[in-house]
Amino acid sequence: MLQLIVKRLVYGFLILNIITVFLFVLIRLIPGDPVRVQLADAAVSQERIDELTAQLGLDRPLWAQLGSWYAGAVRGDFGESFSTGRPVASIIIERLPLTIELTVLAMAVAVTLGIVVGTVSAVRRNSWLDNVLRVGSVIGLSIPNFWLGLLLITFTSIVLRWVPPLSYQGPLENLGQNLAQMLLPAAALGVVLSASIARLTRSSMLEVLGSDFIRTLRAKGASETVVLFQHGLRNSLIPVLTYIGIQIGGLLGGTVILEQIFALPGLGRTVFEAVSSRDYPLLQVCVLLYGAIFIFVNIVVDVSYGWINPRMRRAD
Amino acid sequence: MSDRFPETGGAGLGTVVPARDESVVDAERLPGEGRWDEMRRFAKTQPVGVASLLVIVAFVVLAVAAPLVAPFDPVAQDRTAFLVGPSGKHVLGTDDLGRDILSRIIHGSRISLYVGAATIAVSMVIGTLIGIGAGYIGGAADGVLQGIIDAVLSIPPLVLALFVAALLGPSIRNVILALSILEIPRFARIARGEMQRVRSEDFVDAAVALGASKVRVMLRHGLPNILPSLIIVASLGFGIVIVAEAALSFLGIGTPPPNPSWGLMLSQGTTYFQTAPWLVVFPGLAISLAVLAFNLFGDALRDFLDPKLVK
């Protein structure tokens, strides 16, 4: 088990380094000098441009820039934001918790709703309820999450005459208001993701319920609750878990746009601002961080297989 | 994490399309079946697939014939009709500049389908070539490629698209470039896995024994056998690309105004959602319908082409 974790961590670290180099090369490959673009509007002298270029190290060869970035990174210094001049690390520490909270809430909605709907569908197979839920799931996975977010806020404001409070409050300052602000974006992200989780849970559950050991359980007189939940659902969860690991990327991407719609100052909002102002030092670290979260979640998923299925604890 | 392509699918997740009939050209047909027979079998066994194909065809027709079909000019502003609700003259209402929503949605299908088709075509060709090469040759190059694919796929798609689109600046061509960078690894991954499977088949050994060159084995014997899987990825990828284009345009980094991109139309809706909800509802419906059609068609193709799933 420990070996598996270490192996995954090492590979994850390797992937993060590839992402770093990939982003570095991409930024410098693309035509258009970031400094010139940054200063495009203002009338600046060539001297000022040269000065800024030198200050940012953009006049040095690629490998040297990469080297000094790493030298800073190991000390926790990721450079300064172009547009605000603040250290990138402190901006991110300030903005990251909101995005994590939103992602966790959305995931909670998606997993709960998806597994409940999928299980009900499988247990009541081919009933009218199953058909309704299945059609709903197919439609659900074709709806863009940002559209659902827009529909939700349109509905609540016109029909319920309620809009989320505008000025952001952290969960520690004002939990009620914080949750009120998170409610709609988390629901939009979660409901869309739950559709595919429900589909997968249904097919996985049907496969498990059709297997021999379930028949044996019923034959020896196990109650339906034990059959369905302790054995059926538990064994159906492995593919669902893998899928959740893959889908975390879509969910994180969704936070960028939903934070924008609902005016939430999280990491997604930061990425968007960094993109708009071509704030490369900030942008690069944000993108890298998204990659790191994705990799981390997938390591957790891999490790949790062993928790769900003891047979997998010994797997390589 | 070996199988990422059924992004939207439930059934069949985690199954790799199994080794197929070994006749090289008509890999997925039943013995003695012609192309027309095969299509008839698809129509018979996959009614949902046929229906979704019809929806796709309808979108294509609308896109091609947009100037003829649309009741108004999609960019013409009408000062006498700002934010008019759905009515006889403007069936789906107008926006804040008095532009007809229905006409903009019809013209918008051009952008969505064009971006989708161009992105899928570019990434399918490049991704497949990379994947086939890596899968067949193997070794260190394959290891490096695997790392790069894992790295690119670890970045949330929208974040990567934003990053690339921001570097390039907003234009339709750049959206296609940005989205291709997302889609190439997806195709490369499937092509690589499938090519590794095909490489160990007897007919490949036979071709090599008969003196076929590496390139010939890859393209003449490998490619036709992995094509069905690639077509499924393409159909599901179409849906992903349409949503991604809408998302980028929504954020103002994709298709530039005044082009009637569906995502751009939704972003106008954010300003007027309380007074003009039709601005939010209809473009989103268009996106969802198009994505639904491509998803269902991809699912039907998978059920049809993957014999392991036939129940």
Side-chain angles (χ1 to χ4, degrees):
Chain A
M1 197 63 198
L2 191 68
Q3 216 181 346
L4 174 80
I5 299 177
V6 171
K7 225 166 111 179
R8 286 277 183 275
L9 283 175
V10 170
Y11 189 65
F13 183 71
L14 189 72
I15 294 299
L16 274 182
N17 285 295
I18 298 178
I19 297 178
T20 306
V21 176
F22 177 78
L23 297 177
F24 233 84
V25 172
L26 220 51
I27 288 179
R28 281 141 188 96
L29 260 186
I30 307 251
D33 182 342
V35 175
R36 272 173 211 283
V37 174
Q38 177 71 22
L39 301 176
D41 303 329
V44 226
S45 65
Q46 185 60 41
E47 274 168 37
R48 175 78 183 123
I49 290 176
D50 292 343
E51 190 193 25
L52 251 180
T53 307
Q55 192 188 331
L56 294 164
L58 290 170
D59 53 346
R60 293 187 300 154
L62 182 65
W63 59 267
Q65 293 181 41
L66 194 60
S68 52
W69 188 87
Y70 268 107
V74 291
R75 285 182 280 116
D77 172 14
F78 293 95
E80 270 118 43
S81 154
F82 270 3
S83 44
T84 59
R86 289 181 56 199
V88 168
S90 75
I91 298 179
I92 282 177
I93 289 170
E94 187 184 298
R95 301 281 184 104
L96 183 62
L98 187 152
T99 300
I100 291 180
E101 188 194 350
L102 181 57
T103 309
V104 169
L105 286 174
M107 199 44 107
V109 171
V111 169
T112 315
L113 192 63
I115 289 181
V116 167
V117 167
T119 308
V120 168
S121 240
V123 173
R124 298 257 177 276
R125 173 159 48 142
N126 294 331
S127 65
W128 64 268
L129 183 61
D130 177 30
N131 289 330
V132 169
L133 292 177
R134 278 168 75 189
V135 172
S137 308
V138 172
I139 294 173
L141 57 84
S142 303
I143 292 178
N145 46 29
F146 60 96
W147 184 49
L148 186 59
L150 278 175
L151 283 184
L152 284 176
I153 194 169
T154 305
F155 176 81
T156 58
S157 73
I158 293 180
V159 180
L160 306 179
R161 307 217 161 270
W162 178 82
V163 283
L166 267 179
S167 66
Y168 176 74
Q169 295 273 296
L172 300 178
E173 297 151 17
N174 186 342
L175 185 64
Q177 181 173 343
N178 176 269
L179 289 178
Q181 286 169 323
M182 292 288 185
L183 179 70
L184 295 183
L189 287 167
V191 168
V192 167
L193 182 54
S194 77
S196 46
I197 295 181
R199 255 166 66 115
L200 191 56
T201 307
R202 180 182 182 276
S203 63
S204 173
M205 186 89 174
L206 283 179
E207 209 178 307
V208 171
L209 289 182
S211 61
D212 289 341
F213 78 91
I214 291 288
R215 202 181 45 194
T216 311
L217 273 171
R218 289 206 165 112
K220 75 163 193 177
S223 75
E224 201 57 15
T225 322
V226 171
V227 170
L228 286 182
F229 295 103
Q230 200 169 331
H231 297 275
L233 189 57
R234 186 167 178 173
N235 277 289
S236 315
L237 283 183
I238 297 275
V240 176
L241 205 60
T242 312
Y243 187 71
I244 290 171
I246 296 168
Q247 285 303 316
I248 193 80
L251 195 56
L252 288 170
T255 60
V256 176
I257 213 166
L258 281 151
E259 283 176 16
Q260 197 57 31
I261 296 174
F262 289 91
L264 297 171
L267 190 62
R269 188 80 176 280
T270 312
V271 166
F272 179 73
E273 286 164 6
V275 160
S276 310
S277 60
R278 301 202 168 213
D279 191 339
Y280 294 115
L282 182 59
L283 188 55
Q284 179 169 353
V285 178
C286 285
V287 177
L288 189 62
L289 192 59
Y290 273 107
I293 298 175
F294 179 88
I295 291 166
F296 175 75
V297 171
N298 276 284
I299 292 174
V300 172
V301 164
D302 281 355
V303 171
S304 62
Y305 290 155
W307 173 68
I308 289 190
N309 186 346
R311 269 178 306 178
M312 289 190 170
R313 277 176 210 163
R314 289 190 305 123
D316 66 318
Chain B
M1 278 180 63
S2 65
D3 176 72
R4 224 176 259 259
F5 76 84
E7 198 91 346
T8 58
L13 187 95
T15 56
V16 170
V17 181
R20 222 166 271 107
D21 186 305
E22 291 173 18
S23 63
V24 170
V25 183
D26 301 327
E28 69 278 11
R29 272 187 239 166
L30 298 177
E33 195 186 43
R35 202 159 285 278
W36 285 107
D37 296 329
E38 189 191 16
M39 285 185 190
R40 212 165 295 144
R41 189 159 55 87
F42 180 80
K44 225 188 240 169
T45 54
Q46 306 291 341
V48 177
V50 175
S52 50
L53 184 60
L54 287 178
V55 174
I56 295 172
V57 170
F59 268 112
V60 173
V61 170
L62 273 185
V64 172
L68 303 173
V69 188
F72 292 91
D73 180 341
V75 292
Q77 306 182 3
D78 181 354
R79 284 164 191 283
T80 61
F82 291 151
L83 295 174
V84 174
S87 59
K89 192 178 171 204
H90 298 284
V91 182
L92 302 183
T94 65
D95 67 8
D96 53 324
L97 297 172
R99 298 176 295 194
D100 182 57
I101 298 294
L102 177 63
S103 306
R104 287 177 71 71
I105 287 180
I106 291 174
H107 278 268
S109 62
R110 285 189 150 186
I111 296 172
S112 287
L113 292 182
Y114 171 63
V115 169
T119 305
I120 295 296
V122 168
S123 35
M124 192 166 174
V125 171
I126 299 177
T128 304
L129 287 179
I130 296 175
I132 287 182
Y136 188 70
I137 297 163
D142 185 38
V144 172
L145 182 81
Q146 184 67 25
I148 295 177
I149 291 178
D150 280 343
V152 177
L153 291 179
S154 296
I155 306 172
L158 185 60
V159 174
L160 182 58
L162 261 177
F163 178 75
V164 180
L167 293 178
L168 294 167
S171 80
I172 292 181
R173 196 200 58 175
N174 291 343
V175 170
I176 294 170
L177 264 174
L179 297 181
S180 297
I181 293 183
L182 305 187
E183 287 292 313
I184 287 172
R186 219 179 285 280
F187 282 100
R189 165 169 287 200
I190 297 298
R192 174 182 170 275
E194 291 282 281
M195 191 65 213
Q196 279 179 333
R197 173 183 64 75
V198 171
R199 187 176 58 175
S200 56
E201 299 277 336
D202 289 341
F203 63 82
V204 169
D205 292 339
V208 173
L210 286 170
S213 69
K214 271 185 184 167
V215 174
R216 185 178 164 83
V217 171
M218 284 190 262
L219 296 184
R220 190 84 187 88
H221 301 273
L223 188 59
N225 274 289
I226 68 176
L227 207 53
S229 319
L230 293 174
I231 292 172
I232 296 167
V233 181
S235 186
L236 297 175
F238 228 102
I240 298 171
V241 171
I242 288 177
V243 173
E245 186 276 328
L248 285 180
S249 304
F250 181 87
L251 290 173
I253 308 176
T255 308
N259 292 303
S261 156
W262 293 339
L264 213 50
M265 295 174 72
L266 276 181
S267 76
Q268 289 178 303
T270 55
T271 319
Y272 300 101
F273 67 89
Q274 281 167 312
T275 46
W278 56 90
L279 289 181
V280 171
V281 174
F282 297 121
L285 271 181
I287 299 172
S288 301
L289 186 61
V291 174
L292 181 66
F294 279 107
N295 282 347
L296 288 176
F297 184 64
D299 279 358
L301 269 183
R302 179 168 50 209
D303 290 350
F304 184 69
L305 296 174
D306 186 346
K308 229 168 87 177
L309 289 168
V310 175
K311 291 184 183 110

